[in-house]
Amino acid sequence: MTDRRQFRDLVSPAEARAAIDSLDLAPDPETVPLDAARGRVLAERIDAELDVPGFDRASVDGYAVRARDTFGADEADPIVLDRIGTVHAGAEPDVEVQEGTCAEISTGAVLPPGADAVVMVERTDETDAGIAIRTSVAPGDRVMVAGADVAAGSRAFGPGTLITPREIGLLSALGVDDVPVRGTPTVGIVSTGDELVRPGETLHSEAGQIYDVNSYTIAAGVEEAGGEAVLYPHAGDDYDEMEQLLVKAADECDLVLSSGSTSASAVDVIYRVIEREGELLLHGVSVKPGKPMLVGRLEDSAYVGLPGYPVSALTIFRTFVAPAIREAAGLPEPRTATVEGEMAVRERYSEGRTRLMPVGLVEDGSGDTLVYPVDKGSGATTSLVEADGIVEVDADTDYLAAGETVGVQLFSPDVRAPTLLGVGEDDPALSRLLDRLERPRYLDVGSRQGRRRLRDGVPDVAVVSGPSDRDTDAVDLGGWTREWGLVVPTDNPAGIDSLADLIDRDLRFVNRSTDAGLRASLDAELDRLADRRGTDRRDLTDAVDGYELTVKGFESPARKVIGGAADAGLGLRATADALDCGFVPLGTESVRVLADPDRTDKPGVVALDDAIESALDDVVANLAGFDA
Amino acid sequence: MTDRRQFRDLVSPAEARAAIDSLDLAPDPETVPLDAARGRVLAERIDAELDVPGFDRASVDGYAVRARDTFGADEADPIVLDRIGTVHAGAEPDVEVQEGTCAEISTGAVLPPGADAVVMVERTDETDAGIAIRTSVAPGDRVMVAGADVAAGSRAFGPGTLITPREIGLLSALGVDDVPVRGTPTVGIVSTGDELVRPGETLHSEAGQIYDVNSYTIAAGVEEAGGEAVLYPHAGDDYDEMEQLLVKAADECDLVLSSGSTSASAVDVIYRVIEREGELLLHGVSVKPGKPMLVGRLEDSAYVGLPGYPVSALTIFRTFVAPAIREAAGLPEPRTATVEGEMAVRERYSEGRTRLMPVGLVEDGSGDTLVYPVDKGSGATTSLVEADGIVEVDADTDYLAAGETVGVQLFSPDVRAPTLLGVGEDDPALSRLLDRLERPRYLDVGSRQGRRRLRDGVPDVAVVSGPSDRDTDAVDLGGWTREWGLVVPTDNPAGIDSLADLIDRDLRFVNRSTDAGLRASLDAELDRLADRRGTDRRDLTDAVDGYELTVKGFESPARKVIGGAADAGLGLRATADALDCGFVPLGTESVRVLADPDRTDKPGVVALDDAIESALDDVVANLAGFDA
């Protein structure tokens, strides 16, 4: 905990960009085969080395003629020519067209010597005397002369041309099978932290292990930006091990990125390696998140240290690093990398440094894009998929007003606003309905938060359960009921048969948070029990061991029970059923889907309404305790 | 030429789409490793199988405590606790926090047994007596409880989710290393036509061979649309060979595309194979281009026959086939697949069938997108790179008015309007200037066409050479001069020393077309010679063997001379120099870069202006006969 670095001289985001720009990530150009050239960028100008077509070419099926032999021919008075042979496409002509003769010719075939025009077959007849030509043609008619499409020596492509299918087409026509392209920057990714385990390996939660989120995420970001990602085995916090790994990565890659360590000591080790073995250009940027960013050089490579929290790492990568990789690869920023929208709510901010604010997108009833802040704390990986991009807020901005237009840098060019934004209670029937929609987003913030957010005008729908005042002017799209109660171990070994048991006996309980509709149903039931006992709810809940122990998901209490950490948990009969637990029923609550009245015509809301109408019976059919 | 099929029952484009939709291209879902999942689409819903984090986790560096031990502590009156050990991230705690004790803890480490909160290190001091805690904390402070980020059992992703880096992030956090994704449709590409040679193979132009453009182009289109392309060796027009190839492709792929044959007989062979071995759903669509499209089934696969001309093939692929491949892969149409713009010019059309009109894009002075038709005939491969996409014009539309808003289906989501649209003379100095710009487009239509198009308001600049009336209100951005004359074989074996030699001697000449400024300079020189001889130009040109033989590119006449097809060609000293030819100077002409007065502030025009200003001297320095 000693030797903690202070970030005394934070630089501005613009200075950080300049520092990264000063690193040269661009590898040497290379040559790739044509069938691997899509998405690459030409390293140099390409001039046509040959004429296209390479020969005078018939552009229709018909007869190759000497134009002057056809002068005067018309429908009424055809001229008859001797057919002396046939020229097929892809064959060298073995005939010469002389006065009074013609050669049958296919589209694309070489115009035979002597001929200077083609008569299309539709204007001819085969007769016993020969081929009757019913039209006169001029020299060059129905002939594409050599080089008419592309002339040898002409400029075909400039350097920097992005190769899409159509460029592949012209390169094919020119016979270019080795394509000189900008090199692909290789980006080494070093994740640090003793607690990290790669997905696919065994996770020991009891030892504080977590899955390494940044390595694959940043690798995917690198590849999306046109780089090639190289993953290195994760390093511990030992100086020698870290130095060896970073130097190896620097030897092998154009850019080295580190991330993943959340401990100050590991950051410090990296810091010392870069400072001693390379050159540290900056340490600390006046930006939130991302303050502890490092930029430097190591061997002949560039180095950027990303923050450890996934959203922070992706944000800093998106803002500072991806543009540099694109630039090195010669790729333009995709047109879809940014969108504009209006702030859905007012957002205050004044911390004296630039804020890279994670935001979500939602379309309002008119199809306009609204932008809302997603702030779950940088440690939350769920922010990754709940945010669509970031809004860069200047250090001297005090607040963004509702309705203010902002630019959003999307996390990926492929990101777009969801078709439906729902918030509220988590519920297994709802999950199945959502599966039937295209690209919905659902935030399980609980019924209470759901109602509040719907009133604030951000989401399209809120899904709520439990007792409610129905004080909103939301449109009710329908709903279902679900049986709730206590999830207990299989066969209910403790013989729990009512809520009173939790109060009167020595049992360990697991609750849901007050945002959950299910919790509101429990509290209402406790109120009734308190009434019957002539006391108040607080007296009862004080007697419940674990009443204050709340967990997040609708299955979480049941999972605590299964894990032996509790004797009973608040939950659904459907959950008890799915997880093979026992169940003590306490009631049935209603789940309602409420829509913002201005969004009922939005396609995603209509689709949800349709799904409730058409699929709800199916959906609840095999969910125990559910009723449509 | 017999057995020619008639397209008697052309179906509408909508019917063609329905026929293709009726073919099932979607392969079975598959599982891919997480590091190969980017860009794929989830085949099923993924629920969290574990809590994230999987343990109660310190969210800061500091000390793990029993919250009740800190009650009453503040800056003035700290409470001192015994430090009993340390818990590192990624390690299982080996201490238990009991009354009056604390454990040092790193961010991300497991909260040790007994502790229920963390005090951040900044609010503590190490003293001789122990750790002084300068603040009181509540249970749960600075602790992220297990499952607080993602709760086991919660819905993480719906089916149909496109996997971008952020989804990789949450999948990583959940430890999902095998990702169930939609299958990638495999698309077999069969090119037909005896005249086709793959790029990289030897081309025999004399035998009418041309490079196969469609195979790689369509393969790139298939991959861009999310399919996997499989190229088959090209087939001749023989029924048995074609049947064998098509059946093999159908066995191995979800969809078979054929194209590349421009001869009616080959199309006919394919037609018969599909009809006899499979099922032909439609033959002929009322659309231009693309009338002879085939749709059918072969074995268990789908089959679509594309037209042979590259632009037609890509157009039909883009309009009918790419959407079906995307659909089969589960991929949404990219947001950038279409743009809107205003017609730059009036375009007439009335052929009674839907027109898929190739168009180019250009931004006007205000940054609005203008759309102009590119019609070079379907045989021109250059249309591929000169057009950006297609406008679908209804069969009953007589014309599109200038200024009318149209939707453009881009040939690729990566296509965008060029930064600069230039037209006019081809010139080697210009080519080098263009190399210094980002994504310019230049159409070498010659000076005459260039002037006309600039007046029509489509391009940003026109580059013109030769004598001119200067009748435009265009802005002159500058220019250079170039020496022109007759390019002759090395050492001028025929001893040509003036224009008169072409007239008075028996020499074969190659000219440029009347659109070329160079040709206008030649004609002006001939006018002067005619004046001197007291005759008119026509008398002189009649005596020049080859005066009417015009070729397209500025190097083309020289290349004819090198090939032995002519004794002299119209050209530049720089060309003679570059190709090691002899040169007979006839004059010096001026090349001017003229800008549309409304576009002079457009970034691409400014960049060209800057390049002329700063780089012209460099550019002309090693071009013989050029002067800035």
Side-chain angles (χ1 to χ4, degrees):
Chain A
M1 214 65 63
T2 52
D3 197 20
R4 180 177 302 274
R5 293 275 162 186
Q6 297 299 321
F7 303 112
R8 287 210 181 80
D9 302 309
L10 296 182
V11 306
S12 70
E15 287 169 297
R17 285 194 174 94
I20 292 176
D21 283 349
S22 77
L23 305 167
D24 179 21
L25 315 185
D28 291 335
E30 59 183 336
T31 298
V32 296
L34 184 55
D35 60 2
R38 187 177 71 84
R40 303 298 294 268
V41 172
L42 285 180
E44 55 191 63
R45 185 170 95 204
I46 292 183
D47 290 345
E49 288 185 6
L50 44 78
D51 281 332
V52 179
F55 50 89
D56 295 343
R57 185 173 189 248
S59 51
V60 294
D61 289 339
Y63 292 90
V65 298
R66 298 170 5 130
R68 57 187 171 280
D69 288 355
T70 69
F71 291 165
D74 60 23
E75 290 289 336
D77 191 15
I79 284 172
V80 178
L81 299 175
D82 270 354
R83 166 175 159 171
I84 53 162
T86 301
V87 191
H88 291 293
E92 189 164 358
D94 56 1
V95 294
E96 182 168 346
V97 175
Q98 291 171 322
E99 188 173 348
T101 70
C102 65
E104 185 178 347
I105 194 164
S106 310
T107 306
V110 181
L111 195 71
D116 58 10
V118 173
V119 180
M120 64 196 298
V121 68
E122 289 81 354
R123 308 303 295 275
T124 66
D125 291 300
E126 289 189 52
T127 71
D128 290 341
I131 305 301
I133 307 289
R134 305 198 312 266
T135 185
S136 68
V137 292
D141 276 5
R142 309 290 180 177
V143 175
M144 189 182 214
V145 298
D149 189 359
V150 186
S154 64
R155 182 183 195 270
F157 298 102
T161 301
L162 176 65
I163 302 174
T164 72
R166 58 184 187 156
E167 281 79 18
I168 298 273
L170 186 52
L171 288 166
S172 294
L174 298 177
V176 178
D177 63 326
D178 285 324
V179 188
V181 294
R182 299 280 295 258
T184 297
T186 50
V187 181
I189 295 171
V190 174
S191 69
T192 64
D194 291 326
E195 75 277 26
L196 297 182
V197 170
R198 288 268 161 88
E201 294 171 7
T202 306
L203 185 75
H204 296 285
S205 286
E206 71 287 356
Q209 293 182 339
I210 55 172
Y211 283 118
D212 173 6
V213 172
N214 286 338
S215 291
Y216 287 140
T217 307
I218 298 300
V222 163
E223 284 172 5
E224 190 174 71
E228 183 189 336
V230 184
L231 262 63
Y232 289 88
H234 97 262
D237 299 353
D238 176 70
Y239 183 91
D240 290 336
E241 193 190 342
M242 188 75 82
E243 180 195 318
Q244 216 175 352
L245 195 65
L246 288 173
V247 168
K248 179 175 153 70
D251 278 344
E252 296 172 351
C253 301
D254 300 304
L255 167 65
V256 178
L257 298 176
S258 72
S259 80
S261 177
T262 51
S263 78
S265 55
V267 167
D268 228 52
V269 170
I270 293 177
Y271 172 92
R272 289 205 308 271
V273 172
I274 303 300
E275 203 170 43
R276 290 180 196 174
E277 311 297 326
E279 183 190 357
L280 192 66
L281 296 180
L282 71 86
H283 183 194
V285 179
S286 179
V287 67
K288 177 190 177 179
K291 196 172 72 168
M293 183 164 72
L294 300 172
V295 177
R297 287 196 186 88
L298 189 63
E299 310 279 308
D300 291 331
S301 293
Y303 166 80
V304 177
L306 302 172
Y309 280 135
V311 177
S312 308
L314 189 61
T315 296
I316 293 297
F317 176 81
R318 167 69 181 84
T319 306
F320 295 98
V321 183
I325 295 173
R326 281 192 199 287
E327 174 76 24
L331 291 164
E333 163 122 309
R335 271 185 294 143
T336 49
T338 55
V339 294
E340 281 204 341
E342 286 183 4
M343 288 295 292
V345 292
R346 178 185 159 103
E347 174 74 1
R348 293 185 53 196
Y349 178 70
S350 54
E351 293 205 15
R353 51 188 170 127
T354 300
R355 182 179 182 196
L356 303 173
M357 178 174 71
V359 296
L361 303 178
V362 59
E363 286 181 358
D364 70 12
S366 328
D368 293 331
T369 299
L370 300 180
V371 177
Y372 60 93
V374 173
D375 204 349
K376 308 183 66 178
S378 7
T381 44
T382 38
S383 302
L384 274 176
V385 291
E386 292 182 8
D388 294 310
I390 50 182
V391 171
E392 190 167 333
V393 187
D394 281 347
D396 56 4
T397 301
D398 289 331
Y399 67 93
L400 296 170
E404 186 169 341
T405 298
V406 290
V408 180
Q409 298 181 290
L410 299 178
F411 279 132
S412 160
D414 292 328
V415 164
R416 56 182 73 185
T419 54
L420 175 80
L421 179 62
V423 296
E425 194 73 7
D426 49 357
D427 178 273
L430 176 67
S431 289
R432 293 175 191 203
L433 287 173
L434 291 173
D435 288 350
R436 295 168 184 254
L437 308 184
E438 254 181 62
R439 295 189 298 107
R441 169 175 286 152
Y442 189 76
L443 311 179
D444 50 355
V445 296
S447 294
R448 194 169 68 168
Q449 278 282 335
R451 281 194 188 86
R452 189 177 65 70
R453 295 197 190 185
L454 189 66
R455 277 194 302 268
D456 287 348
V458 178
D460 301 317
V461 296
V463 179
V464 300
S465 77
S468 148
D469 301 339
R470 288 292 169 83
D471 56 346
T472 87
D473 56 356
V475 177
D476 191 330
L477 299 183
W480 53 93
T481 59
R482 57 185 192 178
E483 197 178 4
W484 65 277
L486 302 178
V487 180
V488 297
T490 319
D491 300 333
N492 194 359
I496 301 170
D497 63 15
S498 76
L499 197 51
D501 286 341
L502 292 185
I503 298 156
D504 305 328
R505 294 172 53 188
D506 186 15
L507 296 167
R508 293 163 305 157
F509 177 64
V510 183
N511 207 345
R512 297 287 306 283
S513 85
T514 52
D515 279 325
L518 213 50
R519 163 69 173 264
S521 288
L522 173 70
D523 288 347
E525 198 56 34
L526 282 165
D527 281 338
R528 278 189 284 275
L529 184 57
D531 276 354
R532 286 202 295 276
R533 293 191 180 189
T535 178
D536 66 15
R537 196 212 307 170
R538 183 65 186 262
D539 286 333
L540 301 189
T541 60
D542 280 350
V544 177
D545 176 15
Y547 179 81
E548 297 297 341
L549 177 62
T550 63
V551 289
K552 191 183 173 221
F554 75 98
E555 283 190 1
S556 301
R559 287 173 183 262
K560 288 275 185 196
V561 168
I562 293 168
D567 301 304
L570 179 60
L572 303 174
R573 178 186 285 280
T575 300
D577 211 56
L579 299 178
D580 287 325
C581 293
F583 182 69
V584 181
L586 294 179
T588 293
E589 65 168 14
S590 167
V591 180
R592 307 305 302 173
V593 180
L594 307 177
D596 181 312
D598 294 334
R599 309 259 180 97
T600 50
D601 291 336
K602 185 173 160 173
V605 177
V606 172
L608 176 60
D609 197 25
D610 289 348
I612 294 171
E613 180 82 18
S614 66
L616 187 58
D617 288 336
D618 267 6
V619 157
V620 299
N622 58 351
L623 281 171
F626 275 69
D627 201 0
Chain B
M1 215 66 67
T2 52
D3 196 19
R4 180 177 304 273
R5 292 277 162 184
Q6 298 299 319
F7 303 111
R8 286 210 184 81
D9 302 310
L10 296 183
V11 306
S12 70
E15 288 170 297
R17 286 195 172 94
I20 291 176
D21 284 348
S22 77
L23 305 167
D24 178 22
L25 314 185
D28 291 335
E30 58 183 337
T31 298
V32 296
L34 184 56
D35 60 2
R38 186 177 70 85
R40 303 297 294 269
V41 172
L42 285 180
E44 55 191 63
R45 184 170 97 204
I46 293 183
D47 290 344
E49 288 184 6
L50 45 78
D51 280 332
V52 179
F55 51 90
D56 295 344
R57 185 172 188 248
S59 51
V60 293
D61 289 339
Y63 292 90
V65 298
R66 296 169 7 128
R68 57 187 171 280
D69 289 353
T70 69
F71 291 165
D74 61 22
E75 290 289 337
D77 191 15
I79 285 172
V80 177
L81 300 175
D82 270 354
R83 167 173 158 171
I84 53 161
T86 301
V87 191
H88 291 294
E92 190 164 358
D94 55 2
V95 294
E96 182 168 345
V97 175
Q98 290 170 323
E99 189 172 348
T101 69
C102 66
E104 185 177 347
I105 194 165
S106 310
T107 306
V110 180
L111 195 71
D116 59 7
V118 173
V119 181
M120 63 196 299
V121 67
E122 289 81 353
R123 309 302 295 274
T124 65
D125 292 300
E126 290 189 51
T127 70
D128 291 340
I131 304 300
I133 306 290
R134 304 199 313 266
T135 184
S136 68
V137 292
D141 276 4
R142 308 291 179 178
V143 175
M144 190 182 210
V145 298
D149 189 359
V150 186
S154 64
R155 183 183 194 270
F157 299 102
T161 301
L162 177 64
I163 302 174
T164 71
R166 58 183 187 157
E167 281 79 18
I168 299 272
L170 186 53
L171 289 166
S172 293
L174 298 177
V176 178
D177 63 325
D178 284 324
V179 189
V181 294
R182 299 279 295 258
T184 297
T186 50
V187 181
I189 296 170
V190 175
S191 69
T192 64
D194 291 326
E195 75 277 26
L196 297 183
V197 171
R198 288 267 161 88
E201 293 172 7
T202 306
L203 185 76
H204 296 285
S205 287
E206 71 287 355
Q209 292 182 340
I210 56 171
Y211 284 117
D212 173 5
V213 172
N214 286 338
S215 291
Y216 287 139
T217 308
I218 299 300
V222 164
E223 285 172 5
E224 190 173 70
E228 182 188 339
V230 183
L231 261 63
Y232 288 88
H234 99 260
D237 299 352
D238 175 69
Y239 183 91
D240 291 336
E241 192 189 343
M242 187 75 83
E243 181 196 319
Q244 216 174 351
L245 195 65
L246 288 173
V247 168
K248 178 175 154 69
D251 279 344
E252 296 172 351
C253 301
D254 300 304
L255 166 67
V256 178
L257 299 176
S258 72
S259 80
S261 176
T262 52
S263 80
S265 54
V267 169
D268 228 54
V269 170
I270 292 178
Y271 172 93
R272 289 206 307 272
V273 171
I274 303 299
E275 202 170 45
R276 290 180 195 173
E277 310 298 326
E279 184 190 357
L280 192 66
L281 296 180
L282 72 86
H283 183 194
V285 179
S286 179
V287 66
K288 176 188 178 178
K291 196 172 72 168
M293 182 164 72
L294 299 171
V295 178
R297 287 196 185 89
L298 189 62
E299 309 280 309
D300 291 331
S301 294
Y303 166 80
V304 177
L306 302 171
Y309 281 134
V311 177
S312 309
L314 189 60
T315 297
I316 292 298
F317 176 81
R318 166 69 181 84
T319 307
F320 295 99
V321 183
I325 294 173
R326 282 192 199 288
E327 174 76 24
L331 291 164
E333 164 122 308
R335 272 184 294 143
T336 49
T338 54
V339 294
E340 280 205 340
E342 286 183 5
M343 287 295 293
V345 292
R346 179 184 159 102
E347 175 74 2
R348 292 186 52 196
Y349 177 72
S350 53
E351 291 207 16
R353 52 188 170 127
T354 300
R355 184 181 181 194
L356 303 173
M357 178 174 71
V359 296
L361 303 179
V362 60
E363 285 180 0
D364 70 12
S366 329
D368 292 331
T369 300
L370 299 180
V371 177
Y372 60 93
V374 173
D375 204 349
K376 307 182 68 176
S378 10
T381 43
T382 38
S383 302
L384 274 176
V385 292
E386 292 181 9
D388 294 309
I390 50 180
V391 171
E392 190 166 334
V393 187
D394 281 348
D396 56 3
T397 301
D398 289 332
Y399 67 93
L400 297 170
E404 186 169 341
T405 298
V406 291
V408 181
Q409 299 180 290
L410 299 177
F411 279 132
S412 161
D414 293 327
V415 164
R416 55 181 74 185
T419 53
L420 175 80
L421 179 62
V423 297
E425 193 73 7
D426 50 357
D427 178 273
L430 176 67
S431 290
R432 294 175 189 201
L433 287 173
L434 292 173
D435 287 351
R436 294 166 184 256
L437 308 184
E438 254 180 61
R439 294 189 300 108
R441 169 174 287 153
Y442 189 76
L443 311 177
D444 52 354
V445 296
S447 294
R448 194 169 68 169
Q449 279 280 336
R451 281 194 188 85
R452 189 179 64 71
R453 295 197 190 185
L454 188 66
R455 277 195 302 269
D456 288 348
V458 178
D460 302 315
V461 297
V463 178
V464 301
S465 77
S468 149
D469 301 339
R470 289 291 169 86
D471 55 346
T472 87
D473 55 358
V475 177
D476 192 329
L477 299 183
W480 53 92
T481 60
R482 57 185 192 177
E483 197 178 6
W484 66 276
L486 302 177
V487 180
V488 297
T490 320
D491 300 332
N492 194 359
I496 301 170
D497 63 15
S498 76
L499 197 51
D501 285 343
L502 293 185
I503 299 156
D504 304 331
R505 295 172 53 190
D506 186 16
L507 296 166
R508 293 163 303 157
F509 177 63
V510 184
N511 207 345
R512 297 285 308 281
S513 85
T514 52
D515 279 323
L518 214 51
R519 164 68 172 265
S521 288
L522 173 70
D523 287 347
E525 198 56 33
L526 283 165
D527 281 337
R528 280 188 284 275
L529 184 58
D531 277 354
R532 286 201 296 276
R533 294 192 178 188
T535 177
D536 65 16
R537 195 214 306 173
R538 183 62 187 263
D539 284 335
L540 301 188
T541 59
D542 280 351
V544 177
D545 176 14
Y547 179 81
E548 297 297 342
L549 177 60
T550 64
V551 289
K552 191 185 172 217
F554 75 99
E555 283 191 1
S556 301
R559 286 172 182 262
K560 287 274 186 194
V561 169
I562 293 169
D567 301 303
L570 179 60
L572 303 174
R573 178 185 286 279
T575 299
D577 211 56
L579 299 177
D580 287 325
C581 292
F583 183 69
V584 180
L586 293 179
T588 293
E589 65 167 15
S590 166
V591 181
R592 306 305 302 174
V593 181
L594 307 176
D596 181 313
D598 295 332
R599 309 260 180 98
T600 50
D601 293 335
K602 184 173 160 172
V605 177
V606 172
L608 176 60
D609 197 24
D610 290 348
I612 295 171
E613 180 81 19
S614 66
L616 187 58
D617 287 337
D618 267 7
V619 158
V620 300
N622 59 351
L623 282 171
F626 275 70
D627 200 1

